[in-house]
Amino acid sequence: MTQDDSTTDQGSLDPFQADRQEWAASGLMAVTCLLLLAGAGLLVLMLIKLAIPTLFADSEFLAYGRLRPAAMLMLIYGFGGTLTQAMAYFLIPRLVGARMPRQPTALLGGLAYAGLVTLGVLAVLFRGPSGPELAEFPPLIDWPLAALLLLPPVLVTSMLRHRTEDGVFVSTLYVLGAVWWYPALHITGSIPGLEGVGPFLQTGLVANGMLWLAFPAAALGSAYYVLVKESGRPLFSGPLARAGFWTLAGTALLSTPTRFLGGPAPDWTETVAAAAAMGLMIAALAVMTNLGQTLSGDWENARRNVVIRYLMVGATAYTLVTILTGISGFRSVAAVLGLTTWHEGLMIGSTLVAIPALGVAFIFHAFPRTTGRDLASEETAERGLRLLTWGGGITAAAFLIAGLVSGITWNWANASGSRLNAGTGFSDTLADVDVMFTVGALASVVALVGIALMVWAALGTYVSGSARPVEMLVPVESRDDE
């Protein structure tokens, strides 16, 4: 059976009527664009603050210690969490052949979630973080957020009872995984009262799970669906896609100690982390191989499709970042790169390039189909992709290079005895890579302009896109295997 959405049909509803068919998915895609722009803006401010520490010195809410958690929360919870809901509400009905229930409830729940995340980010900026990494929301927001995160999996899972499709597409696995992993990880991070190394492992597990499991999952699942629909070609290998999913699901959390090799965790966790890190690389290579082979022999047509270009840029960036993450899980590599900006570079590559490109590819594919209008401007979208690729890529590379240089310098200093990795010696090492922070900050501004153009192209569809046929879900009683 091939992965497609032949349980949908096309009609000539006007845009308003089309929007009513998929209120939740359409509305949340628009909100997702705004949250991406806000998160990228906070990230750029963070990088500028890192390059020029004296900037905003009189503004406590613009301190680096507040900008970084605010940016990560807005990108991973705000953009990533809302994008996951939009993807689920658009894709699952098409993949299981059942109508989306309770559209107003889903839309209101998604809007309330986005609003609560925004309030939480503002609280972090003005009052400071209230917990460890990716658990910085104040307690008054933590548990209501958990309740709202449970709404999408309940709604989506309820559709499975009315499915008319016989098989389970790999996109279904990724999206279902994402909508359940988000609340599970968030609730795990909110559990109080752990002692000893418990909080240390809890913090690492939640942060690693959010960044490398929940955050990319739905975007990777949508990539399979969107590529098949946009290219008109069957997926290269369903078994390979499923193997990639289960490998990611089984190794992402186990790779948590790669972030803290040499820390207080038991020694055996390092062995587990190294093996799991290899699993992360295998999962990413499975995705890239599948997407590339699906387009094999049709690259000329693919290059003319802006959605496919976004998708392939995002998939390539995700694969590169994941491979570098996996490599850093080996102790010999971690001895050089641990506690440097190397991991900041990987985080930037994921949150500023890979997942935004994959997410926007989905929005450019799905938004016209829910609004009844074509994409406002492909030229603007293409320009945005170029700026994102170069700006975000250079930003991530600058921090990776800075981390590599710092790690080599620290190890050389220890071996030669020429410099202590403390006090002035530590400061001198940072000064050696200070120019990389400046390059990264400047390049991130370019990436932000690219994201702004992408958001303009998407939201402009509402007001300036030309009318087009829309998709309407028409469930069928049975379906023959293809």
Side-chain angles (χ1 to χ4, degrees):
M1 182 181 291
T2 60
Q3 177 173 309
D4 60 23
D5 67 350
S6 56
T7 54
T8 62
D9 197 2
Q10 291 189 329
S12 56
L13 294 177
D14 64 61
F16 176 73
Q17 291 174 312
D19 195 49
R20 291 186 62 185
Q21 297 288 310
E22 295 185 279
W23 270 349
S26 181
L28 293 180
M29 277 187 266
V31 173
T32 295
C33 291
L34 298 176
L35 294 174
L36 171 59
L37 186 59
L42 288 170
L43 182 62
V44 169
L45 281 176
M46 177 200 87
L47 296 176
I48 293 173
K49 178 67 175 179
L50 184 63
I52 312 174
T54 57
L55 192 64
F56 314 128
D58 297 329
S59 302
E60 190 176 3
F61 73 96
L62 291 178
Y64 180 83
R66 296 187 182 186
L67 283 171
R68 188 189 186 281
M72 291 300 99
L73 289 172
M74 183 60 82
L75 285 169
I76 294 177
Y77 269 92
F79 163 64
T82 309
L83 176 67
T84 294
Q85 295 181 40
M87 287 177 170
Y89 297 153
F90 179 86
L91 290 176
I92 294 299
R94 290 163 167 77
L95 293 169
V96 304
R99 292 188 184 278
M100 170 71 195
R102 300 179 180 86
Q103 290 275 347
T105 301
L107 177 57
L108 289 175
L111 293 177
Y113 168 82
L116 203 57
V117 169
T118 302
L119 287 176
V121 168
L122 291 174
V124 169
L125 285 174
F126 287 96
R127 301 186 60 183
S130 301
E133 185 178 13
L134 292 181
E136 296 100 339
F137 289 121
L140 287 177
I141 288 179
D142 249 338
W143 293 106
L145 203 62
L148 289 171
L149 278 170
L150 286 170
L151 178 62
V154 170
L155 291 176
V156 168
T157 305
S158 70
M159 279 186 277
L160 299 180
R161 294 183 295 131
H162 306 290
R163 60 182 301 149
T164 58
E165 291 287 351
D166 296 328
V168 178
F169 300 125
V170 69
S171 293
T172 308
L173 295 176
Y174 273 103
V175 174
L176 283 176
V179 296
W180 279 108
W181 287 329
Y182 258 105
L185 288 167
H186 178 75
I187 292 170
T188 300
S190 302
I191 298 174
L194 298 180
E195 298 179 355
V197 297
F200 176 81
L201 293 176
Q202 178 190 28
T203 298
L205 184 144
V206 172
N208 202 71
M210 281 292 184
L211 187 59
W212 299 114
L213 182 61
F215 185 48
L220 294 175
S222 75
Y224 286 121
Y225 177 91
V226 170
L227 185 65
V228 168
K229 294 299 295 181
E230 290 286 338
S231 67
R233 299 169 65 88
L235 186 64
F236 171 67
S237 173
L240 178 62
R242 290 179 177 83
F245 168 80
W246 290 115
T247 303
L248 176 67
T251 60
L253 295 182
L254 292 177
S255 68
T256 295
T258 60
R259 296 161 55 89
F260 310 109
L261 290 182
D267 291 340
W268 61 266
T269 62
E270 296 183 0
T271 303
V272 173
M278 295 180 64
L280 281 180
M281 293 189 283
I282 292 171
L285 288 171
V287 172
M288 195 66 209
T289 300
N290 230 333
L291 298 180
Q293 288 299 313
T294 298
L295 291 175
S296 180
D298 196 32
W299 287 103
E300 195 61 37
N301 289 329
R303 279 195 289 269
R304 291 196 291 266
N305 186 310
V306 67
V307 175
I308 294 179
R309 287 203 297 277
Y310 266 86
L311 191 152
M312 295 309 295
V313 166
T316 302
Y318 171 77
T319 302
L320 290 174
V321 168
T322 306
I323 288 174
L324 293 176
T325 301
I327 291 174
S328 64
F330 296 97
R331 187 173 181 81
S332 57
V333 179
V336 177
L337 301 176
L339 305 179
T340 71
T341 61
W342 176 269
H343 292 284
E344 288 292 290
L346 297 175
M347 175 272 295
I348 291 169
S350 176
T351 58
L352 190 63
V353 184
I355 308 307
L358 288 171
V360 173
F362 162 76
I363 291 171
F364 284 169
H365 168 83
F367 206 41
R369 288 165 169 75
T370 62
T371 60
R373 293 185 180 276
D374 282 318
L375 191 64
S377 172
E378 287 197 5
E379 292 78 9
T380 301
E382 290 170 355
R383 192 175 299 114
L385 179 61
R386 287 194 296 271
L387 293 176
L388 176 72
T389 303
W390 285 103
I394 292 173
T395 302
F399 278 80
L400 291 172
I401 293 170
L404 182 61
V405 171
S406 296
I408 292 174
T409 302
W410 287 338
N411 280 267
W412 168 80
N414 278 333
S416 65
S418 60
R419 181 187 294 175
L420 293 176
N421 292 333
T424 58
F426 184 80
S427 301
D428 291 342
T429 302
L430 290 180
D432 293 339
V433 297
D434 187 61
V435 65
M436 289 291 101
F437 299 154
T438 303
V439 170
L442 293 174
S444 70
V445 175
V446 176
L448 178 61
V449 174
I451 289 174
L453 292 176
M454 291 152 51
V455 171
W456 176 263
L459 298 185
T461 300
Y462 261 133
V463 294
S464 60
S466 58
R468 56 158 290 153
V470 299
E471 289 183 353
M472 296 177 293
L473 185 64
V474 182
V476 295
E477 294 300 323
S478 62
R479 176 176 170 180
D480 295 328
D481 288 351
E482 296 179 358

